[in-house]
Amino acid sequence: MKTPVTVVVSMRNSASTILETLKSLVKQEYPIQKIIVIDNVSTDRSVRLVEVFAKKTKQIPIKIIQHRVNICVGGSFNEGAKLASSSFVVFMHSDSMFPTTKELTLLVKPF
């Protein structure tokens, strides 16, 4: 049995890329327990896009956390790791995408 992963996505003003990032995650063959998006004071419509996508996507829970102060990428990843409940945590930027459906499988294969 495969151990599900938590994916933590750091985001700031990523309206042009965040949906493709989330779509590439939802398509993964490897099980994802949840996706945590940490927003660092976005001033565009990034947060709204994630909220709408999360409501439409039922197979994987997507949680968004909004900050009033930019805690930067490292702070976002640290916070996401604390909120993760799975044994494995994968960190991504909001402009990253997985090109195939097997990327998470390849990432956790050594473990």
Side-chain angles (χ1 to χ4, degrees):
M1 182 174 198
K2 296 178 181 178
T3 303
V5 300
T6 297
V7 180
V8 178
V9 180
S10 176
M11 177 177 80
R12 184 161 197 272
N13 293 332
S14 301
S16 64
T17 58
I18 189 62
L19 288 180
E20 292 304 315
T21 300
L22 294 173
K23 287 176 188 175
S24 77
L25 287 170
V26 171
K27 291 178 184 175
Q28 290 301 298
E29 294 174 2
Y30 196 88
I32 297 175
Q33 185 176 44
K34 66 181 164 183
I35 299 169
I36 303 171
V37 179
I38 310 285
D39 179 65
N40 285 300
V41 199
S42 289
T43 57
D44 64 2
R45 52 193 190 102
S46 302
V47 171
R48 183 70 185 134
L49 291 171
V50 173
E51 290 170 342
V52 170
F53 186 86
K55 285 181 183 176
K56 291 180 182 178
T57 305
K58 304 295 183 203
Q59 69 265 41
I60 301 171
I62 299 173
K63 179 176 185 170
I64 184 158
I65 298 179
Q66 292 179 261
H67 284 279
R68 293 184 178 159
V69 175
N70 187 350
I71 63 170
C72 301
V73 174
S76 296
F77 288 164
N78 287 335
E79 181 175 2
K82 290 176 187 172
L83 295 171
S85 53
S86 61
S87 298
F88 296 116
V89 181
V90 174
F91 300 102
M92 291 183 70
H93 294 273
S94 55
D95 61 354
S96 302
M97 285 143 237
F98 288 140
T100 73
T101 60
K102 299 183 185 304
E103 302 306 318
L104 283 179
T105 300
L106 294 171
L107 280 173
V108 300
K109 187 177 182 179
F111 304 100

